Amino acid sequence: MQLETHHIADHNQSRAEAHQRKLSYWTNEVAKAEPIIQKLIDFQIAIPSWALGTGGTRFGRFPGGGEPRSLEEKIADVGLLHALNQASGAISLHIPWDIPSDAQAIQQLAAQHGLRFDAVNSNTFQDQPDQAASYKFGSLQHTDPAVRRQAIEHNIEVIRHGVALGSDALTVWLSDGSCFPGQLNFRKAFDRTLESLEEIYAALPDNWKMFVEYKAFEPNFYSMTVGDWGSSLLYASKLGPKAFTLVDLGHHLPNANIEQIVAILLHEGKLGGFHFNDSKYGDDDLTAGSIKPYQLFLIFNELVDGMDARGLDHARDLGWMIDASHNVKDPLEDLLQSVEAIQLAYAQALLVDRVALEEAREANDVVRAQELLQDAFRTDVRPLVAEARRRAGGALQPLALFRQLNVRGQLIGERGAKTVATGL
Ligand code: LRH
Ligand code: MN
């Protein structure tokens, strides 16, 4: 399904007046609004290739039809999202779910859609049909050196696929851990995992990064060998300057103060990137900003503060990726909502009066500090995000246009109602 530019132009024309009316609020704040709009235009969020179909749980999966049947169709779907919001200019692949048959052809196809390849993800949490050794009891931590070797070789192969596609980062998420007390020697598991990661690290091209993603539980339910930000930071620090931590918002124990974790990892220069989503209980992989929008704002508040303190380029120096799974929503609508929520949180964080906030903090004026944050969080920045999309050639209201054009219906027409995408 190809989105024509006239689709966007007609849509924006029909909404121009309403948009200008909402934007007029900012005419007196041009000095503040313009830099925010420019930063939003530059800010691209990578779409996970494994979240373009309907997800599911062990209790059931309810496919919605028209799902991508190949990597080519996944790239077309991300291309469609990017055409609508001009903020999804990258795709993050998962190997072996998305092994490119012809890397050059895939790279050209992605380029036609204005897409680049963000971090590539290895997978040693499932056994592939032709696999020699099982990952049932882990991969890089495994007691059997042959299993560790197999997992190391897989990660090095994933780097090779990434290099062929122009990616420059490897995300390693390990499901390794234990389900029962006594099952695992934590010290041996740590040492074996570190030694294995060191071999993978040694295979990284000079300009590459390695993201070590931590997770508190699932699929192991007693211990995870990379179970929290502390262990991820330990690995990344011992590995070297190309290794960083990756913060998946759903990978924390209930009530964890994620914005504080982000502030410290960024301060240490060891924050590599994010898997944005939201959750109420576990790794629910729900739409970003759908459960705890204030937390997402507070995380971006620490990001803007910390990135400016280190002179980092907001758009390029950290990995901005979504990691979601869609059980009841249309995958593309869910992703459009997540991108919007992330842009809103970023724009609100850019609004915070940081000089006044520091003055209030130094004076222990707790009330003023909270008022300064909540003033930004309670400001409707949707017109700025829409204006950034309009200027970048996107739709003022991507979700509305997606529905108006009956995109899902057209995809079902093209692909059928029963197609299943690889992924979660
Ligand atoms: C693990 C995780 C990881 C991916 C997987 C699809 O929960 O967040 O980032 O490899 O989801
Ligand atoms: Mn993740």
Side-chain angles (χ1 to χ4, degrees), residues 46-56 97 248 275-278 283-288 321-327 331 334-335 338 423-424:
I47 304 296
S49 63
W50 60 91
L52 296 164
T54 303
W97 293 335
D248 184 314
H275 279 179
F276 290 113
N277 48 53
D278 211 337
D283 187 19
D284 311 340
D285 279 345
L286 300 175
T287 318
M321 297 165 275
I322 290 172
D323 183 357
S325 180
H326 325 285
N327 300 339
D334 197 339
L335 291 163
S338 278
L424 278 185

Side-chain angles (χ1 to χ4, degrees), residues 19 46 75 82 250 413:
H19 173 57
I75 289 171
H82 189 49

Side-chain angles (χ1 to χ4, degrees), residues 32-104:
K32 223 184 250 179
E34 278 308 316
I36 294 176
I37 292 171
Q38 196 45 55
K39 279 192 162 29
L40 286 167
I41 291 171
D42 297 340
F43 196 80
Q44 298 295 314
I45 300 150
I47 304 296
S49 63
W50 60 91
L52 296 164
T54 303
T57 72
R58 57 187 167 160
F59 302 105
R61 184 174 178 278
F62 309 93
E67 295 188 7
R69 300 161 291 186
S70 64
L71 181 50
E72 288 76 4
E73 290 186 346
K74 288 185 175 189
I75 289 171
D77 283 5
V78 178
L80 195 145
L81 292 176
H82 189 49
L84 285 168
N85 63 21
Q86 290 299 323
S88 312
I91 182 169
S92 181
L93 297 190
H94 220 298
I95 308 287
W97 293 335
D98 308 302
I99 292 184
S101 46
D102 172 343
Q104 209 178 2

Side-chain angles (χ1 to χ4, degrees), residues 126-158:
Q126 294 172 327
D127 289 345
Q128 305 308 319
D130 54 358
Q131 200 171 295
S134 171
Y135 293 133
K136 178 176 180 179
F137 295 109
S139 60
L140 303 185
Q141 77 169 24
H142 204 287
T143 55
D144 179 347
V147 178
R148 301 200 298 271
R149 171 62 39 212
Q150 176 183 273
I152 292 166
E153 290 310 321
H154 165 68
N155 276 277
I156 294 174
E157 187 206 351
V158 172

Side-chain angles (χ1 to χ4, degrees), residues 16 33 67 72 114 151 191 262 275 292 295 350 368 384 394 418:
E67 295 188 7
E72 288 76 4
D191 289 347
V262 166
H275 279 179
K292 301 182 285 249
Q295 174 182 267
L350 290 169
R368 173 124 175 86
L384 297 184
K418 291 272 171 276

